[in-house]
Amino acid sequence: METIQVKVGDLIIGGGAPIVVQSMCNTHTSDIDASVEQCIRLYEAGAEMIRLTVPTLDQVKDLAKIKSILRGRGINVPLVADVH
């Protein structure tokens, strides 16, 4: 099966690109502090892409806050909204 390459942040996935290490937070996205801290730990452990659950529109705003805090700390790992 042939796949196409897709750019996610600075990463390239699919189409023969190297496998990307990803993980998913098990925090509530609305708990911004806990989510940020878990993202930092995942990043430090080698995660190249991090998924967070986004079941409501309110949590879309929370995800934006999490991203802003991480970027402010110099962590540019792509965040992926796992929409339910």
Side-chain angles (χ1 to χ4, degrees), residues 12-41:
I12 302 292
I13 59 175
I19 294 172
V20 172
V21 176
Q22 64 173 299
S23 190
M24 183 167 185
C25 288
N26 64 1
T27 56
H28 290 279
T29 305
S30 58
D31 187 343
I32 294 170
D33 292 335
S35 295
V36 166
E37 291 308 312
Q38 191 169 79
C39 285
I40 291 169
R41 287 193 310 273

Side-chain angles (χ1 to χ4, degrees), residues 15-72:
I19 294 172
V20 172
V21 176
Q22 64 173 299
S23 190
M24 183 167 185
C25 288
N26 64 1
T27 56
H28 290 279
T29 305
S30 58
D31 187 343
I32 294 170
D33 292 335
S35 295
V36 166
E37 291 308 312
Q38 191 169 79
C39 285
I40 291 169
R41 287 193 310 273
L42 289 170
Y43 173 77
E44 289 174 345
E48 298 171 278
M49 184 165 52
I50 300 172
R51 297 169 41 215
L52 294 103
T53 302
V54 184
T56 69
L57 289 177
D58 287 336
Q59 284 156 344
V60 171
K61 295 173 189 172
D62 296 334
L63 182 59
K65 291 176 188 174
I66 292 165
K67 179 181 176 182
S68 177
I69 293 167
L70 291 171
R71 298 305 182 262

